Amino acid sequence: AQTVTQSQPEMSVQEAETVTLSCTYDTSENNYYLFWYKQPPSRQMILVIRQEAYKQQNATENRFSVNFQKAAKSFSLKISDSQLGDTAMYFCAFMKTGANNLFFGTGTRLTVIP
Amino acid sequence: NAGVMQNPRHLVRRRGQEARLRCSPMKGHSHVYWYRQLPEEGLKFMVYLQKENIIDESGMPKERFSAEFPKEGPSILRIQQVVRGDSAAYFCASSIATGTSSGNTIYFGEGSWLTVV
């Protein structure tokens, strides 16, 4: 079974600063995908970034980037130049290749302080 | 391009009543998923459907819950005889397909918030 662990229930960061959210996972699979989703106060689930396990290059989307360490089964999210609109719950998620369901962590509540 | 559409956004039901939640996938998506989010928790997979077929319902409670995705119309998640413990956010999601080069990216709707009183 796959498990996803987010060990930081809450974090805060000053506006314009950089913050890193941690995620580790446990799987025996070799091919899979990892995701970060953002859930703002509106509670919509928004895809932030995606990483394919077979790619060594870390995914980047504007101010969001990941540090994917496959051997360590670690998948952290870095948010640069934090903005007030980044305040949200952030969920790390895992999906086995060819599967049809995501396994989510318990989330990290990020607050950006003006 | 409209995203995943869910309705109602908020639903209040008394114990014992039925709740019906509807979901229209993104245009071009033929795969639908339902997830449940209990307060202060992450999302938990419930069921995966394609048109007229339930592919994986391993996350569905054995009783009172059912889902369908008919040939025409939205997917429906139905909860019969609701209890207080059913109070949660129910998210629908959709994707083009699994195992494709699009990488199984799943897009979520805005959720339906069920409150059982």
Side-chain angles (χ1 to χ4, degrees), chain A residues 37 39 43 50 100 102, chain B residues 33 35 37 102 105-106 113:
Chain A
Y37 282 88
Q39 189 176 42
R43 298 188 177 176
R50 185 189 102 187
N100 49 61
L102 287 158
Chain B
Y33 313 81
Y35 284 76
Q37 185 181 29
S102 66
T105 299
I106 293 177
W113 305 86

Side-chain angles (χ1 to χ4, degrees), chain A residues 52-68:
Chain A
E52 292 92 337
Y54 65 85
K55 289 188 178 178
Q56 292 187 337
Q57 185 173 7
N58 289 322
T60 299
E61 287 288 340
N62 301 314
R63 297 182 295 106
F64 299 86
S65 62
V66 298
N67 184 4
F68 173 47

Side-chain angles (χ1 to χ4, degrees), chain A residues 80-98:
Chain A
S80 304
D81 185 25
S82 296
Q83 301 175 0
L84 296 178
D86 295 333
T87 292
M89 282 289 286
Y90 286 82
F91 291 97
C92 178
F94 170 100
M95 176 187 280
K96 184 175 67 173
T97 299

